[in-house]
Amino acid sequence: MALTYSSFQTFEDVVKHYENTKPIKEKELGTSRNVRPIGDRARKWETIQKISRNCYAITGGHERGNELFPYWGNMEYDEDLGKYVHVTHGAKLEDYAPIVWRKRKDGTVTVTINNVTGIHYSISHYSMLYRHTPKGILFVHNGSGKQYIRLLNSGTNPDYRCPFSKPQANDYYLAKNKTVPRAEWVKHKDSDAKWYTWQRPTDDNSALTFIQRSIGVWEHDGISGRSLPKGPKVNKELKAKFKPAVDKLFEWGMTMTPLLPLEFEYNREKINEMHHYFCGREGLDNWSAWKPEWAREVLKDENHPYRLNFWIMFAASTHDGWYLNQTYTIKEVQTKDDLRKIRARYNSFMNNNAGFMNKGE
């Protein structure tokens, strides 16, 4: 299965590619589903789909609204059929597909680019953006956790055409999409599970739309997209109130650590035990998101029954290596530099888990 690339220059190129691509003949359904791959036919989930005569979507498969290769997350049990079925909740593919070409009534051609929907990272989605953006547009991601779109209309920087380079001054921030169909939002709106709390039913304007001025020359429409969010900052006033308690826990924990049998299964057992305690006490699902007030509760009470478990949650985060080969420097602190590094990790752990960070926008 080859990873293919395209660099369409015009809307007509997109239409021609769609019309010249024969639908895949599937074993049981034949060509009835009209599956037209954007490239390698062995990767049939990567498709070009006709929304209307003036709108085409390039998809990586399993986006919301994709009826050919449905989104994995929305499945419900159908009593009549006796099995789980995909539910679209009214999602439209053009709101979620990586790349959407449109031709307006006045002949103007636009391309809309969507990031992933949610708070996760998607290699397949980003691969589609990297491989199939139009001529003159580049998808940029450099490992910072943020993604950008770069217009190649001008620029002499040697990194200008590198998708892994640092963001340039004229790059456009491509925010992750947090908009889901209202029916899906209603279903999950009362959940505090972290994989649902980000959802919203109204358009968050995360997608970027560009207007084609000539072949390879694009211009941002001036209204789509969101500004680059401000980074998180430490709430120094709040943190200062807990500093004595934070210091005491660190001193106590470092004294206890050499006696602890830190290893994967032991750590997981102790962490789950604590999480289930807090969730059960508040009537929450066992895998609900961690709440900062739980950490503060432990900090305030030196005799808290899950003080050790909380420390283990931190100690477990300091490991090096994978699974059964994990090692813990925290158990063998020998130099001031070792202690400094552990303390820095502890500081970061507390900032995040005790809610000392203002997360910004």
Side-chain angles (χ1 to χ4, degrees), residues 234-245:
V234 176
N235 185 332
K236 295 181 179 179
E237 183 178 347
L238 175 61
K239 189 173 182 179
K241 295 179 180 179
F242 286 89
K243 187 178 186 310

Side-chain angles (χ1 to χ4, degrees), residues 259-271:
L259 306 175
L260 299 176
L262 296 180
E263 54 88 25
F264 182 82
E265 294 296 340
Y266 172 79
N267 299 342
R268 183 170 64 174
E269 177 186 345
K270 293 300 181 183
I271 294 170

Side-chain angles (χ1 to χ4, degrees), residues 176-234:
K176 288 185 172 66
N177 181 16
K178 296 184 178 180
T179 304
V180 299
R182 179 167 290 275
E184 181 180 345
W185 174 77
V186 168
K187 182 179 178 181
H188 303 303
K189 67 184 179 68
D190 295 325
S191 171
D192 65 346
K194 62 183 178 182
W195 43 84
Y196 295 133
T197 54
W198 56 268
Q199 295 183 348
R200 62 191 62 181
T202 55
D203 183 12
D204 66 351
N205 198 35
S206 60
L208 289 169
T209 296
F210 300 93
I211 302 170
Q212 187 174 43
R213 296 307 183 193
S214 61
I215 292 178
V217 178
W218 299 85
E219 179 183 321
H220 182 237
D221 68 356
I223 57 175
S224 65
R226 297 171 58 190
S227 58
L228 190 65
K230 295 179 180 179
K233 292 183 178 180
V234 176

Side-chain angles (χ1 to χ4, degrees), residues 13-233:
D13 287 346
V14 177
V15 176
K16 184 178 180 180
H17 184 90
Y18 175 83
E19 293 179 342
N20 289 343
T21 301
K22 293 182 179 180
I24 287 180
K25 188 175 183 180
E26 298 177 296
K27 186 175 181 179
E28 297 181 358
L29 299 174
T31 60
S32 63
R33 294 205 308 145
N34 196 26
V35 177
R36 304 190 188 212
I38 186 67
D40 188 347
R41 295 178 74 82
R43 300 176 66 86
K44 67 177 185 178
W45 57 89
E46 295 181 353
T47 66
I48 179 169
Q49 297 189 35
K50 182 178 180 179
I51 308 300
S52 70
R53 65 187 182 90
N54 291 317
C55 181
Y56 289 78
I58 296 175
T59 82
H62 308 294
E63 304 91 349
R64 287 170 172 80
N66 192 331
E67 295 185 1
L68 295 180
F69 299 94
Y71 170 58
W72 297 113
N74 287 338
M75 295 189 72
E76 295 180 1
Y77 189 77
D78 188 305
E79 295 287 352
D80 295 331
L81 297 176
K83 64 179 182 180
Y84 283 92
V85 296
H86 291 281
V87 180
T88 66
H89 290 305
K92 295 181 179 180
L93 179 59
E94 56 267 37
D95 294 333
Y96 300 97
I99 302 167
V100 180
W101 283 77
R102 291 183 175 90
K103 189 171 186 177
R104 300 173 179 170
K105 291 182 179 180
D106 62 1
T108 301
V109 172
T110 67
V111 161
T112 296
I113 299 176
N114 291 295
N115 204 328
V116 297
T117 299
I119 55 177
H120 63 289
Y121 184 96
S122 173
I123 294 175
S124 60
H125 192 100
Y126 297 150
S127 176
M128 292 299 293
L129 289 176
Y130 174 57
R131 292 185 286 124
H132 296 291
T133 46
K135 180 179 177 63
I137 295 180
L138 181 69
F139 171 66
V140 178
H141 63 115
N142 62 356
S144 67
K146 297 181 178 64
Q147 293 76 43
Y148 303 84
I149 295 299
R150 180 174 302 166
L151 302 184
L152 303 180
N153 304 338
S154 62
T156 57
N157 188 306
D159 286 337
Y160 199 70
R161 293 179 180 271
C162 176
F164 306 109
S165 66
K166 294 181 179 179
Q168 305 291 324
N170 60 341
D171 287 350
Y172 294 90
Y173 171 60
L174 183 62
K176 288 185 172 66
N177 181 16
K178 296 184 178 180
T179 304
V180 299
R182 179 167 290 275
E184 181 180 345
W185 174 77
V186 168
K187 182 179 178 181
H188 303 303
K189 67 184 179 68
D190 295 325
S191 171
D192 65 346
K194 62 183 178 182
W195 43 84
Y196 295 133
T197 54
W198 56 268
Q199 295 183 348
R200 62 191 62 181
T202 55
D203 183 12
D204 66 351
N205 198 35
S206 60
L208 289 169
T209 296
F210 300 93
I211 302 170
Q212 187 174 43
R213 296 307 183 193
S214 61
I215 292 178
V217 178
W218 299 85
E219 179 183 321
H220 182 237
D221 68 356
I223 57 175
S224 65
R226 297 171 58 190
S227 58
L228 190 65
K230 295 179 180 179
K233 292 183 178 180

